[in-house]
Amino acid sequence: MPIWIITGANRGLGLEFVTQLSTDSSNTIVATVRSLSNDHSALKSLQTSALHILECDTGSQGSINQFAGTFSKTFGTETKIDFLLNNAGINSTPEQTSETMTPDSLTSHIAVNVMGPATMVQVLTPHLQKGSVVMNMSSGLGSLSYNASKEVAEATVYSISKAALNMLTVHQAGQWEARGVKFLAIDPGWVKTDMGGPKAMLEKEESIAGMLKLLKSKDTKSGEYLEYNGSKREW
C-alpha cells in the first residue's frame, strides 16, 4: 500500500489530491492541515480507515517537527513514504509589486513556500528511501522566462518564492540522487480554486489527474520543472 503525504490538504488542490487518491483503497493517505481545531468537514467527509488527518503548519518549524514525530510514532520509524506532496503554500499579498513589496511579506512567503517544503524533507529523511517521490508545488509564476515575457509582472512576492522553490528542487534532486529519491517541481496550471480565482481556465479535477499521472510515471527525471500535463516549463 503506497503511503502519500499531502500538505495543505483541507481545501483547493490539496483536497482534490485526497479526493482522487481516496478512490483507490490501496492508498494510505496522510492529509495535513494547519490546525485540527478548524473546520475540515470536506476532508472528513472522505474519511476512510486509510485516511489520516494530522496537524502540520508548514510555516512553523516546530509544527513540522511535531508532525514528523507523530508520523514516525504512528507508522514506524523505518516506514517508507512513497509520495511526499509539498502542496501547502500562500499568496497573501498578490497586489504587491517590486515597488511596494515589504520585508514581512517576503519573509512569510519564503517561510511557507520554500522553508516549509525544505524542512518537510529534512525531518522526514529516514522515511524517504529509494523510489520515493517528492513533489514541490510550483507555479508558472515561478518561471523567470514566463515573467520576463509579460509586460507587467504579477504577484511579485509569490513569484519570487516559487522561483526559490524551483531552485530548492534542483538542489534537492542533486543531493538526493545517490539515494534514489526523485524530486519534481510541478506547475498545476491556472486552476479554479480560492487561490486561482474565478477567471482561471482549468478545473481542479483535470489538474490533479495530470499531476498524479506524472508522479507515478517512470519517465520523469529528478529535478525537472513540469506542467501538470507533462510539458516542460522553462526556468
Side-chain angles (χ1 to χ4, degrees), residues 160-202:
I160 290 171
S161 72
K162 288 301 183 178
L165 180 64
N166 287 347
M167 182 63 80
L168 171 68
T169 306
V170 171
H171 280 252
Q172 289 173 324
Q175 290 153 8
W176 282 79
E177 183 178 8
R179 285 172 277 185
V181 177
K182 183 189 294 186
F183 288 81
L184 298 172
I186 302 183
D187 168 17
W190 190 15
V191 189
K192 295 178 182 178
T193 62
D194 290 342
M195 184 180 289
K199 295 181 180 180
M201 305 299 292
L202 187 64

Side-chain angles (χ1 to χ4, degrees), residues 64-173:
I64 295 174
N65 286 328
Q66 187 173 10
F67 164 76
T70 301
F71 178 87
S72 295
K73 183 177 180 180
T74 303
F75 292 93
T77 57
E78 302 297 323
T79 298
K80 174 184 175 182
I81 296 169
D82 296 281
F83 299 92
L84 169 59
L85 310 188
N86 287 314
N87 165 76
I90 60 171
N91 182 15
S92 57
T93 57
E95 75 284 354
Q96 289 189 3
T97 68
S98 63
E99 296 177 290
T100 61
M101 61 184 286
T102 63
D104 286 346
S105 177
L106 182 60
T107 298
S108 63
H109 281 77
I110 292 296
V112 176
N113 295 351
V114 185
M115 280 309 305
T119 307
M120 288 293 290
V121 170
Q122 292 169 3
V123 300
L124 293 173
T125 288
H127 301 284
L128 296 173
Q129 304 165 16
K130 185 176 181 179
S132 296
V133 178
V134 179
M135 180 205 75
N136 290 329
M137 183 69 85
S138 188
S139 167
L141 292 178
S143 165
L144 273 68
S145 298
Y146 172 75
N147 280 283
S149 70
K150 298 173 66 64
E151 291 186 7
V152 179
E154 56 188 287
T156 299
V157 177
Y158 176 77
S159 299
I160 290 171
S161 72
K162 288 301 183 178
L165 180 64
N166 287 347
M167 182 63 80
L168 171 68
T169 306
V170 171
H171 280 252
Q172 289 173 324

Side-chain angles (χ1 to χ4, degrees), residues 9-34:
N10 57 300
R11 62 189 181 92
L13 298 180
L15 179 60
E16 185 60 26
F17 268 122
V18 178
T19 299
Q20 293 195 24
L21 288 170
S22 65
T23 62
D24 185 344
S25 60
S26 69
N27 291 321
T28 296
I29 307 165
V30 180
T32 80
V33 297
R34 185 177 300 175

